[in-house]
C-alpha cells in the first residue's frame, strides 16, 4: 500500500503521468485508481503496455481493456512484432516504420513494416489518423477530402492533444529487453 499511496501523492506535483500496464494482467485495480486520480487532476497521460515478451501477453486485449475501462481516447501509437517469446520489435504508427530488436538486428534503424503486419498497421494507422484529425478543423477538412497530412503535422497535432489531455497514446514493449 505504501507504493500505491506514494504514487497517488506524487500525482499532485507532476505535469503528466506514464501509466504502465502489464500485457499479461491488463488493467488492474491500481491502474484504475491511478487513472482516476490523474483524471481528477486533469493530467496528460501516456500508456505503456509492458512485458510483451511474457507468456499470455496480449497487446490487443490490453488495448481493448484500456479503451473500455479507462478511456475510449486511448489510442495505439505502436503495435508489437511477434508475441510472447517471439516478441522482437514494434511498429511506429505515427511514422509508419518498424524497429526490429531481435538478435542481430540494427536496433535503432527503422525498417520496412513486415509484409504480414502491413494490413494491421494500416488499419491502426487509420484509427490514429481518425482520432487526431477529429480535433483539428483544418486537418479534418483535408483528411475528408483525401488530402495528404504529413507525418510532422500528425506528430505535432498528437503532441498538442496529449499535452491538453485530449488523447492518451498507447505504446508497447518489454522494458527488461530495452
Amino acid at each position: 500500500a505504501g507504493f500505491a499511496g506514494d504514487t497517488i501523492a506524487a500525482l499532485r506535483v507532476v505535469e503528466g503521468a506514464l501509466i504502465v500496464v502489464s500485457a499479461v494482467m491488463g488493467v488492474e485495480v491500481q491502474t484504475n485508481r491511478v487513472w482516476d486520480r490523474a483524471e481528477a487532476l486533469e493530467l496528460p497521460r501516456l500508456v505503456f503496455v509492458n512485458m510483451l515478451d511474457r507468456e499470455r501477453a496480449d497487446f490487443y486485449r490490453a488495448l481493448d481493456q484500456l479503451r473500455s475501462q479507462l478511456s475510449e481516447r486511448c489510442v495505439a501509437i505502436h503495435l508489437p512484432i511477434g508475441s510472447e517469446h517471439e516478441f522482437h520489435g514494434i511498429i511506429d504508427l505515427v511514422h509508419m516504420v518498424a524497429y526490429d530488436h531481435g538478435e542481430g538486428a540494427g536496433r535503432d534503424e527503422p525498417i520496412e513494416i513486415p509484409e504480414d503486419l502491413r494490413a494491421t498497421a494500416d488499419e491502426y494507422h487509420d484509427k490514429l489518423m481518425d482520432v487526431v484529425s477529429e480535433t483539428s478543423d483544418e486537418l479534418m477538412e483535408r483528411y475528408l477530402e483525401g488530402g495528404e497530412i504529413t507525418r510532422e503535422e500528425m506528430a505535432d497535432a498528437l503532441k498538442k492533444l496529449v499535452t491538453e489531455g485530449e488523447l492518451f497514446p498507447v505504446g508497447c514493449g518489454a522494458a527488461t529487453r530495452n
Side-chain angles (χ1 to χ4, degrees):
F3 176 75
D6 290 347
T7 302
I8 296 295
L11 289 175
R12 288 200 307 269
V13 294
V14 298
E15 292 179 10
L18 172 63
I19 311 256
V20 180
V21 175
S22 158
V24 179
M25 303 303 292
V27 175
E28 299 179 82
V29 173
Q30 292 295 0
T31 318
N32 277 300
R33 200 165 287 159
V34 171
W35 187 273
D36 290 346
R37 189 74 188 118
E39 185 74 26
L41 294 165
E42 298 180 354
L43 289 176
R45 274 149 279 167
L46 304 169
V47 184
F48 183 74
V49 177
N50 194 19
M51 301 182 186
L52 278 168
D53 56 340
R54 305 289 176 85
E55 260 181 71
R56 297 191 331 280
D58 187 333
F59 173 76
Y60 298 95
R61 181 184 62 219
L63 181 62
D64 285 346
Q65 288 180 5
L66 290 164
R67 291 178 51 77
S68 63
Q69 295 180 43
L70 301 182
S71 172
E72 285 182 3
R73 292 175 296 155
C74 287
V75 61
I77 56 166
H78 293 157
L79 295 180
I81 301 173
S83 61
E84 299 183 353
H85 305 302
E86 303 294 314
F87 170 70
H88 62 93
I90 61 158
I91 295 170
D92 173 341
L93 294 171
V94 177
H95 301 99
M96 286 305 276
V97 294
Y99 292 91
D100 190 342
H101 296 166
E103 293 301 313
R107 290 180 177 275
D108 299 322
E109 295 303 310
I111 59 169
E112 288 284 314
I113 294 169
E115 201 51 52
D116 60 328
L117 292 172
R118 188 75 213 192
T120 305
D122 286 339
E123 176 193 340
Y124 280 85
H125 175 77
D126 288 348
K127 288 180 184 181
L128 180 59
M129 291 290 283
D130 286 344
V131 175
V132 171
S133 62
E134 274 169 18
T135 56
S136 158
D137 291 340
E138 184 201 342
L139 291 185
M140 173 59 93
E141 200 171 308
R142 209 168 343 142
Y143 186 53
L144 290 176
E145 289 169 0
E148 192 60 41
I149 296 172
T150 68
R151 305 263 188 256
E152 286 71 30
E153 287 173 314
M154 181 160 157
D156 288 347
L158 189 58
K159 183 177 177 183
K160 181 172 176 281
L161 293 171
V162 172
T163 306
E164 292 170 354
E166 293 292 321
L167 206 62
F168 311 112
V170 180
C172 68
T176 53
R177 290 168 52 180
N178 295 322

